[in-house]
Amino acid sequence: MTPGFNLNGITSVDGGRTLIVAHTANQALYTVDPATGASAVIATEALPNVDGILAKGDTIYAVQNAINQVSRIDLSKDLSSGEVEDVITSCQFNVPTTVALFGNTLALANAKFGAVDPGGYEVVTTAAR
């Protein structure tokens, strides 16, 4: 087992026949067969601080919490690889950890890790490019 945070985000593709999970310490995404538990890495560039993830078609939105960004990844048809097509940032991000999609808008929960007095938690929105 890799030290640090391991599996975090989870989403499904192919009508639920395949899961995709985010592995924070490995800076990677993996496919998982929900019937057998078999997993395989999705070849991408390193995804530091990867946390919550969301699938929409062949696209994965990967939240990268401590670096306050979301990488939009275009997956290959066989799910063996993916290419970061865009990196979404916002001055409103304060350690976002998870993401939801509403139309063409991403909603992200700010965890505000490390804040002395976070003043509550919030959800911020940005365009899903």
Short mmCIF file of all heavy atoms in Angstrom, two decimals, residues 44-69:
data_model
loop_
_atom_site.label_atom_id
_atom_site.label_comp_id
_atom_site.label_asym_id
_atom_site.label_seq_id
_atom_site.Cartn_x
_atom_site.Cartn_y
_atom_site.Cartn_z
N THR A 44 -2.10 8.45 -18.06
CA THR A 44 -2.24 9.90 -18.22
C THR A 44 -0.97 10.53 -17.68
O THR A 44 -0.14 9.86 -17.06
CB THR A 44 -3.42 10.48 -17.42
OG1 THR A 44 -3.17 10.32 -16.02
CG2 THR A 44 -4.74 9.85 -17.79
N GLU A 45 -0.85 11.84 -17.85
CA GLU A 45 0.22 12.53 -17.14
C GLU A 45 -0.12 12.45 -15.65
O GLU A 45 -1.26 12.14 -15.27
CB GLU A 45 0.35 13.97 -17.61
CG GLU A 45 -0.87 14.83 -17.35
CD GLU A 45 -0.74 16.22 -17.95
OE1 GLU A 45 -0.77 16.34 -19.18
OE2 GLU A 45 -0.61 17.18 -17.17
N ALA A 46 0.87 12.70 -14.81
CA ALA A 46 0.64 12.66 -13.36
C ALA A 46 -0.46 13.65 -12.98
O ALA A 46 -0.55 14.75 -13.55
CB ALA A 46 1.92 13.00 -12.61
N LEU A 47 -1.30 13.25 -12.03
CA LEU A 47 -2.40 14.08 -11.54
C LEU A 47 -2.19 14.34 -10.05
O LEU A 47 -2.84 13.72 -9.20
CB LEU A 47 -3.73 13.39 -11.79
CG LEU A 47 -4.10 13.15 -13.26
CD1 LEU A 47 -5.27 12.20 -13.38
CD2 LEU A 47 -4.37 14.47 -13.97
N PRO A 48 -1.28 15.26 -9.70
CA PRO A 48 -1.01 15.52 -8.28
C PRO A 48 -2.28 15.93 -7.53
O PRO A 48 -3.11 16.67 -8.06
CB PRO A 48 -0.02 16.68 -8.31
CG PRO A 48 0.52 16.73 -9.69
CD PRO A 48 -0.53 16.13 -10.58
N ASN A 49 -2.42 15.42 -6.31
CA ASN A 49 -3.52 15.77 -5.43
C ASN A 49 -4.89 15.42 -5.99
O ASN A 49 -5.89 16.05 -5.64
CB ASN A 49 -3.48 17.25 -5.04
CG ASN A 49 -2.15 17.68 -4.49
OD1 ASN A 49 -1.39 18.37 -5.14
ND2 ASN A 49 -1.85 17.24 -3.28
N VAL A 50 -4.97 14.41 -6.87
CA VAL A 50 -6.26 14.04 -7.45
C VAL A 50 -7.19 13.56 -6.34
O VAL A 50 -6.79 12.84 -5.43
CB VAL A 50 -6.11 13.00 -8.59
CG1 VAL A 50 -5.59 11.66 -8.11
CG2 VAL A 50 -7.41 12.86 -9.36
N ASP A 51 -8.42 13.99 -6.40
CA ASP A 51 -9.39 13.73 -5.34
C ASP A 51 -10.71 13.33 -5.98
O ASP A 51 -10.81 12.27 -6.58
CB ASP A 51 -9.53 14.99 -4.47
CG ASP A 51 -10.18 14.74 -3.11
OD1 ASP A 51 -10.83 13.71 -2.93
OD2 ASP A 51 -10.05 15.60 -2.23
N GLY A 52 -11.72 14.17 -5.93
CA GLY A 52 -13.02 13.84 -6.51
C GLY A 52 -12.95 13.81 -8.03
O GLY A 52 -12.20 14.56 -8.64
N ILE A 53 -13.74 12.91 -8.62
CA ILE A 53 -13.78 12.81 -10.08
C ILE A 53 -15.22 12.68 -10.55
O ILE A 53 -16.10 12.25 -9.81
CB ILE A 53 -12.92 11.63 -10.61
CG1 ILE A 53 -13.35 10.30 -9.99
CG2 ILE A 53 -11.44 11.90 -10.38
CD1 ILE A 53 -12.62 9.09 -10.55
N LEU A 54 -15.42 13.04 -11.82
CA LEU A 54 -16.75 13.00 -12.42
C LEU A 54 -16.59 12.61 -13.87
O LEU A 54 -15.74 13.16 -14.57
CB LEU A 54 -17.39 14.39 -12.32
CG LEU A 54 -18.65 14.63 -13.12
CD1 LEU A 54 -19.83 13.95 -12.44
CD2 LEU A 54 -18.91 16.12 -13.26
N ALA A 55 -17.41 11.67 -14.33
CA ALA A 55 -17.38 11.26 -15.74
C ALA A 55 -18.61 11.81 -16.45
O ALA A 55 -19.72 11.79 -15.92
CB ALA A 55 -17.38 9.74 -15.85
N LYS A 56 -18.37 12.30 -17.67
CA LYS A 56 -19.45 12.68 -18.57
C LYS A 56 -19.02 12.21 -19.95
O LYS A 56 -18.12 12.80 -20.56
CB LYS A 56 -19.71 14.18 -18.57
CG LYS A 56 -20.86 14.54 -19.50
CD LYS A 56 -21.15 16.01 -19.50
CE LYS A 56 -22.34 16.24 -20.45
NZ LYS A 56 -22.54 17.64 -20.72
N GLY A 57 -19.62 11.13 -20.42
CA GLY A 57 -19.21 10.54 -21.69
C GLY A 57 -17.77 10.07 -21.61
O GLY A 57 -17.39 9.36 -20.69
N ASP A 58 -16.95 10.52 -22.56
CA ASP A 58 -15.53 10.16 -22.59
C ASP A 58 -14.65 11.16 -21.86
O ASP A 58 -13.44 11.16 -22.03
CB ASP A 58 -15.05 10.04 -24.04
CG ASP A 58 -15.69 8.88 -24.78
OD1 ASP A 58 -16.14 7.93 -24.12
OD2 ASP A 58 -15.76 8.94 -26.02
N THR A 59 -15.27 12.00 -21.04
CA THR A 59 -14.53 13.04 -20.32
C THR A 59 -14.55 12.76 -18.82
O THR A 59 -15.59 12.40 -18.27
CB THR A 59 -15.16 14.43 -20.59
OG1 THR A 59 -15.07 14.70 -21.98
CG2 THR A 59 -14.45 15.53 -19.82
N ILE A 60 -13.39 12.94 -18.20
CA ILE A 60 -13.29 12.89 -16.74
C ILE A 60 -12.88 14.27 -16.25
O ILE A 60 -11.94 14.86 -16.78
CB ILE A 60 -12.23 11.86 -16.27
CG1 ILE A 60 -12.64 10.45 -16.64
CG2 ILE A 60 -11.96 11.98 -14.77
CD1 ILE A 60 -13.76 9.87 -15.80
N TYR A 61 -13.59 14.78 -15.28
CA TYR A 61 -13.18 15.99 -14.57
C TYR A 61 -12.52 15.51 -13.28
O TYR A 61 -13.16 14.83 -12.47
CB TYR A 61 -14.38 16.89 -14.25
CG TYR A 61 -14.99 17.50 -15.49
CD1 TYR A 61 -16.07 16.90 -16.13
CD2 TYR A 61 -14.48 18.68 -16.02
CE1 TYR A 61 -16.62 17.46 -17.27
CE2 TYR A 61 -15.04 19.24 -17.17
CZ TYR A 61 -16.10 18.63 -17.79
OH TYR A 61 -16.66 19.18 -18.91
N ALA A 62 -11.23 15.81 -13.12
CA ALA A 62 -10.46 15.35 -11.96
C ALA A 62 -10.08 16.54 -11.10
O ALA A 62 -9.27 17.39 -11.50
CB ALA A 62 -9.22 14.61 -12.43
N VAL A 63 -10.67 16.60 -9.89
CA VAL A 63 -10.36 17.67 -8.96
C VAL A 63 -8.99 17.41 -8.35
O VAL A 63 -8.71 16.30 -7.90
CB VAL A 63 -11.43 17.74 -7.84
CG1 VAL A 63 -11.08 18.83 -6.83
CG2 VAL A 63 -12.81 17.96 -8.42
N GLN A 64 -8.16 18.44 -8.34
CA GLN A 64 -6.82 18.34 -7.74
C GLN A 64 -6.79 19.34 -6.59
O GLN A 64 -6.48 20.51 -6.77
CB GLN A 64 -5.76 18.59 -8.81
CG GLN A 64 -5.77 17.48 -9.86
CD GLN A 64 -4.89 17.78 -11.04
OE1 GLN A 64 -5.36 18.37 -12.01
NE2 GLN A 64 -3.63 17.40 -10.94
N ASN A 65 -7.12 18.83 -5.40
CA ASN A 65 -7.47 19.66 -4.26
C ASN A 65 -6.42 20.70 -3.84
O ASN A 65 -6.69 21.88 -3.87
CB ASN A 65 -7.90 18.80 -3.06
CG ASN A 65 -6.84 17.80 -2.63
OD1 ASN A 65 -5.65 18.03 -2.76
ND2 ASN A 65 -7.29 16.68 -2.11
N ALA A 66 -5.25 20.29 -3.42
CA ALA A 66 -4.27 21.22 -2.85
C ALA A 66 -3.67 22.18 -3.87
O ALA A 66 -3.07 23.19 -3.49
CB ALA A 66 -3.16 20.45 -2.14
N ILE A 67 -3.85 21.89 -5.16
CA ILE A 67 -3.35 22.83 -6.17
C ILE A 67 -4.49 23.59 -6.85
O ILE A 67 -4.28 24.28 -7.84
CB ILE A 67 -2.42 22.13 -7.19
CG1 ILE A 67 -3.10 20.96 -7.90
CG2 ILE A 67 -1.14 21.68 -6.52
CD1 ILE A 67 -2.25 20.31 -8.98
N ASN A 68 -5.68 23.48 -6.28
CA ASN A 68 -6.83 24.30 -6.67
C ASN A 68 -7.09 24.31 -8.17
O ASN A 68 -7.19 25.36 -8.80
CB ASN A 68 -6.66 25.73 -6.15
CG ASN A 68 -6.74 25.81 -4.65
OD1 ASN A 68 -7.63 25.22 -4.04
ND2 ASN A 68 -5.81 26.50 -4.04
N GLN A 69 -7.25 23.10 -8.72
CA GLN A 69 -7.57 23.03 -10.14
C GLN A 69 -8.37 21.77 -10.44
O GLN A 69 -8.44 20.85 -9.63
CB GLN A 69 -6.31 23.07 -10.99
CG GLN A 69 -5.44 21.84 -10.89
CD GLN A 69 -4.16 21.97 -11.72
OE1 GLN A 69 -3.58 23.06 -11.83
NE2 GLN A 69 -3.73 20.87 -12.31
#
